[in-house]
Amino acid sequence: MSRWEKQVTAENAWREYPRPQMVRPQWQNLNGLWEYAITPKAAPAPTSFSGQILVPFALESTLSKVTKPLTDEQRLWYRRNVTIPRDWSGQRVLMHFGAVDYECSLWVNGGLVGSHTGGSDAFSFDITEYLKDGQNQLVLGVTDPTSNDEQPRGKQLTKPNSIWYTPVSGIWQTVWLEPVPKENYIDEIRVTPEVDSSRLRVEVLLRKPVEAVQMQYKTAIRLTALDGKQVVATAQLRPGTTGYLTIKNPKLWSPDSPFLYDLNVELVPINDPYGNTPQNKRRRWANPVRIDSVRALYASATVSGKPIDAVTGYFAMRKIAIGKTPNTGTQPVLLLNNKFVFQNGPLDQGWWPGSLLTPPSDEAMAFEINFLKKSGFNMLRKHIKVEPDRYYYLCDKMGILVWQDMPSGFLEGQNEHPDDAVDPLRRSKGVEQFELELRRMMNRLHNHPSIVTWVVHNEGWGQYDNPRLAAWVKGLDPSRVVNAVSGWHDQGAGDFYDIHTYEEEPRYPAPKSDRVVVIGEFGGIGWPIQGHLWNPNMRNWGYQTYQSADVVQQAYQKKYAKIVDYYQKRGLSAAVYTQTTDVEGEVNGLLTYDREVIKIPVEALKKIHAPLFK
């Protein structure tokens, strides 16, 4: 295990606030030891449990303290008791799950609260009506087909081998409780920077539309942007409408200067902007007010009391686009804040030897990001996995660009061959679930400035309707660029032409006049280091495998000499080296799987990469 995994205990497992972009002061962490049981899928809820499992680590992981598989014919059960703090009285109580793989149902005190399907997305239940004074029993039932169905699952395989890894079942991200105001509360915030006009677009969604809530007062949304303690912009608007904050002389976010503004969002009571007299109210309904007049009325309305609800978060002013420069001629390139910045990053799979898909701690994640930055990387491709929110928070804060893959899912035979002329057909069930989870991922991660690219498909793994999906993703989020397919079957969609090239010397993608050209995967230099292998008895491999530090560094330098040449002479926009760490039997990482050995010195990496930033 890594040093951070060895430090994990039931008392310190993931204590940090799990949602950095929408923070409330009151919450209760439910990570720690729960009871668990495994039963046949068709069996009723058990009355006796087998032992204890450490949440939020998956059943199969070492850190869970169980380390057992879950078949598609079984159900995993969790149980624990919880007492609601007395000072939450009079509020609604939400139960949040960072992620549960794959299908689950929640019972509170014997009552079925609800169900969720999807292994990588956060969800919550309002459990208020199910609670009682004193102890409350929580029971969660989970099923997970892994690779026996076509749901998005990333690199998990029932029988792991080669580039496919150990399954992850059950709770694998933080579980927590949160009180919210009884009548209405802030449910969602979307922020989108508009750098060219020096403003931030803000959309605040309440749990219920204001018209549906019988309150004794009018309400408004109050927005405050801060640079440290200095207020730089404010706005007050009608709930359910889009607001804008003008940021004068904005400090732009980049890997070299990852500046974050603070954002306060409040739901506040106001004096009726239309006036309180019966005559004014009749006039309001008889003569609908123009929308710009409504905005002015709400903007100037007087706040009449304390905030009903308030959350804090952050944002950044950052623009990503494609365009042409005098130095690149007809070949479009990636532009960060309207300037060509080469994006150099590793394939980053986010697996850990003792905790699998769950990072062991904030410190562990920060170590990796810091290692990459010091080594001369300004980007990473988050490969076929969605991380906890705190991971992206660290990317935002520390300054590294992220290409975010959608986790793939398919049955054997649904992954296409590189030579296929068309995408295979997919069942409606698989299509609907893939697109649902893709949209959930985009919605949940929208506010993170570090994420600049959505990657829809990878190497034909479950690929279907790729041009339609690329256009759909671009329509949902025009503020980012779209890589329709990384590697293999390109159909001219999206903003990227992306090839994978694992030869000793990487190939150059064909030039494109309408898309940027990138190398989405290359490298894969293997070096199995004894004493740091996940399983010494399995095949430990790389695309080219060597046995000494000198030869590994020479091979790396040879590959990057080609990348530098393609950047300087042919307008290559980005390159993704495989990979950050060894993963199970793959030993082509820059770090060993336990993160203890750096295979190429940081200073050597930085020197090799330096020409990409001149």
Side-chain angles (χ1 to χ4, degrees):
M1 292 194 291
S2 69
R3 72 192 84 158
W4 301 278
E5 289 167 314
K6 294 174 183 176
Q7 295 168 1
V8 171
T9 67
E11 291 71 36
N12 68 15
W14 279 108
R15 297 291 101 190
E16 295 84 1
Y17 190 86
R19 194 182 56 197
Q21 286 189 323
M22 193 171 151
V23 179
R24 289 188 177 93
Q26 290 185 307
W27 70 295
Q28 184 175 348
N29 195 327
L30 298 185
N31 292 339
L33 292 173
W34 293 49
E35 294 178 283
Y36 88 94
I38 299 172
T39 67
K41 189 176 180 179
T47 54
S48 61
F49 282 65
S50 305
Q52 292 186 313
I53 185 170
L54 181 55
V55 170
F57 300 105
L59 176 75
E60 296 88 347
S61 71
T62 303
L63 288 192
S64 73
K65 301 184 183 299
V66 179
T67 322
K68 292 180 179 178
L70 185 73
T71 74
D72 58 348
E73 298 299 325
Q74 295 176 317
R75 192 180 305 272
L76 168 63
W77 296 91
Y78 294 82
R79 184 174 71 181
R80 71 162 287 172
N81 292 327
V82 62
T83 301
I84 306 302
R86 290 187 179 276
D87 60 354
W88 291 12
S89 177
Q91 301 180 85
R92 305 203 70 80
V93 177
L94 305 181
M95 185 170 180
H96 298 282
F97 293 84
V100 177
D101 199 345
Y102 179 68
E103 297 179 89
C104 68
S105 297
L106 175 69
W107 289 262
V108 175
N109 294 323
L112 176 62
V113 178
S115 302
H116 178 81
T117 300
S120 296
D121 42 76
F123 59 96
S124 61
F125 297 114
D126 186 333
I127 63 172
T128 311
E129 308 303 330
Y130 300 83
L131 297 172
K132 62 183 182 181
D133 291 338
Q135 286 197 337
N136 294 269
Q137 186 185 81
L138 311 176
V139 174
L140 188 76
V142 182
T143 58
D144 182 12
T146 308
S147 51
N148 291 324
D149 208 342
E150 57 188 286
Q151 83 287 348
R153 57 179 165 83
K155 287 291 199 84
Q156 302 175 58
L157 193 66
T158 303
K159 296 181 179 179
N161 67 84
S162 186
I163 62 170
W164 308 101
Y165 313 135
T166 303
V168 168
S169 301
I171 297 169
W172 66 278
Q173 291 186 30
T174 292
V175 184
W176 53 296
L177 299 178
E178 176 185 40
V180 293
K182 184 177 181 179
E183 293 179 314
N184 210 356
Y185 56 89
I186 298 165
D187 193 49
E188 186 179 354
I189 301 168
R190 291 194 293 264
V191 297
T192 308
E194 297 181 357
V195 167
D196 292 340
S197 55
S198 297
R199 68 180 188 175
L200 181 77
R201 185 169 79 246
V202 185
E203 299 162 294
V204 180
L205 293 306
L206 302 180
R207 174 63 182 87
K208 298 178 181 178
V210 288
E211 290 79 4
V213 184
Q214 299 300 316
M215 304 180 82
Q216 300 302 312
Y217 40 77
K218 295 291 180 182
T219 58
I221 300 296
R222 185 166 63 185
L223 308 172
T224 307
L226 302 100
D227 177 349
K229 294 183 179 180
Q230 181 180 357
V231 174
V232 295
T234 61
Q236 190 168 287
L237 55 141
R238 183 185 181 188
T241 62
T242 301
Y244 294 90
L245 290 169
T246 298
I247 312 297
K248 296 180 180 179
N249 302 314
K251 298 178 180 179
L252 301 183
W253 185 98
S254 71
D256 291 334
S257 180
F259 183 81
L260 301 176
Y261 291 92
D262 292 323
L263 179 65
N264 296 339
V265 180
E266 299 167 297
L267 176 63
V268 295
I270 58 171
N271 294 321
D272 192 333
Y274 302 100
N276 291 318
T277 68
Q279 183 181 7
N280 282 343
K281 290 184 178 180
R282 284 196 300 272
R283 187 182 298 127
R284 169 191 171 188
W285 295 112
N287 301 292
V289 184
R290 287 174 49 191
I291 189 66
D292 54 348
S293 299
V294 172
R295 287 174 178 159
L297 286 169
Y298 271 83
S300 61
T302 304
V303 174
S304 59
K306 295 180 179 180
I308 301 158
D309 192 16
V311 298
T312 59
Y314 65 89
F315 68 93
M317 298 299 289
R318 184 270 301 135
K319 178 184 177 183
I320 187 71
I322 67 170
K324 298 176 181 179
T325 72
N327 294 331
T328 58
T330 60
Q331 177 58 62
V333 291
L334 287 169
L335 302 178
L336 179 65
N337 300 328
N338 296 321
K339 296 179 181 179
F340 179 26
V341 176
F342 188 86
Q343 297 187 20
N344 179 45
L347 194 73
D348 196 288
Q349 305 210 60
W351 286 75
W352 296 81
S355 54
L356 303 179
L357 281 182
T358 310
S361 65
D362 260 25
E363 292 77 14
M365 298 188 299
F367 166 83
E368 278 197 353
I369 297 169
N370 187 51
F371 161 73
L372 295 175
K373 291 207 64 174
K374 289 192 301 183
S375 300
F377 293 105
N378 64 352
M379 173 267 286
L380 60 86
R381 179 182 166 200
K382 183 50 62 178
H383 189 44
I384 316 294
K385 178 198 177 182
V386 182
E387 294 278 6
D389 276 344
R390 292 198 65 85
Y391 180 88
Y392 301 101
Y393 163 67
L394 290 173
C395 292
D396 297 341
K397 182 180 178 182
M398 299 174 71
I400 195 162
L401 302 168
V402 176
W403 294 10
Q404 179 61 51
D405 287 16
M406 171 61 191
S408 56
F410 55 90
L411 286 166
E412 190 67 31
Q414 289 178 332
N415 52 322
E416 63 182 276
H417 188 271
D419 297 329
D420 286 348
V422 295
D423 293 340
L425 296 176
R426 292 287 301 275
R427 293 191 302 162
S428 297
K429 173 187 175 183
V431 167
E432 291 164 4
Q433 191 62 33
F434 181 88
E435 292 176 27
L436 173 63
E437 294 191 41
L438 172 56
R439 183 153 191 169
R440 285 175 179 169
M441 178 187 77
M442 293 177 63
N443 287 344
R444 173 191 152 197
L445 302 181
H446 178 85
N447 294 348
H448 290 285
S450 58
I451 298 176
V452 292
T453 301
W454 301 118
V455 183
V456 181
H457 285 133
N458 178 79
E459 288 189 352
W461 300 349
Q463 182 172 324
Y464 72 94
D465 288 355
N466 185 256
R468 176 182 68 82
L469 286 175
W472 181 60
V473 168
K474 190 70 171 183
L476 289 174
D477 185 7
S479 72
R480 290 182 170 89
V481 289
V482 177
N483 189 344
V485 55
S486 183
W488 293 16
H489 187 201
D490 177 78
Q491 298 175 62
D495 299 310
F496 287 54
Y497 177 56
D498 178 328
I499 70 164
H500 294 178
T501 168
Y502 281 108
E503 299 88 342
E504 288 191 19
E505 292 190 359
R507 294 177 289 112
Y508 175 73
K512 301 289 179 180
S513 61
D514 59 342
R515 293 183 291 163
V516 301
V517 292
V518 305
I519 295 177
E521 292 182 26
F522 80 104
I525 299 169
W527 180 16
I529 298 179
Q530 297 302 316
H532 300 275
L533 300 176
W534 190 68
N535 180 357
N537 298 318
M538 70 188 300
R539 176 185 174 231
N540 289 281
W541 64 279
Y543 290 92
Q544 300 98 40
T545 303
Y546 305 105
Q547 302 295 332
S548 71
D550 290 345
V551 177
V552 166
Q553 185 168 325
Q554 289 168 11
Y556 188 90
Q557 193 156 1
K558 183 179 180 181
K559 290 178 185 293
Y560 258 95
K562 284 292 184 182
I563 300 300
V564 171
D565 183 66
Y566 299 154
Y567 156 66
Q568 293 177 339
K569 298 177 182 178
R570 304 194 195 183
L572 185 73
S573 277
V576 178
Y577 178 83
T578 301
Q579 58 185 326
T580 303
T581 74
D582 295 349
V583 184
E584 299 197 358
E586 284 190 69
V587 292
N588 45 32
L590 296 168
L591 301 167
T592 52
Y593 201 13
D594 59 8
R595 279 71 168 175
E596 286 301 318
V597 179
I598 298 173
K599 298 182 183 181
I600 301 175
V602 167
E603 287 304 317
L605 290 170
K606 187 175 182 180
K607 184 177 180 180
I608 292 169
H609 299 153
L612 297 170
F613 304 107
K614 292 182 180 178

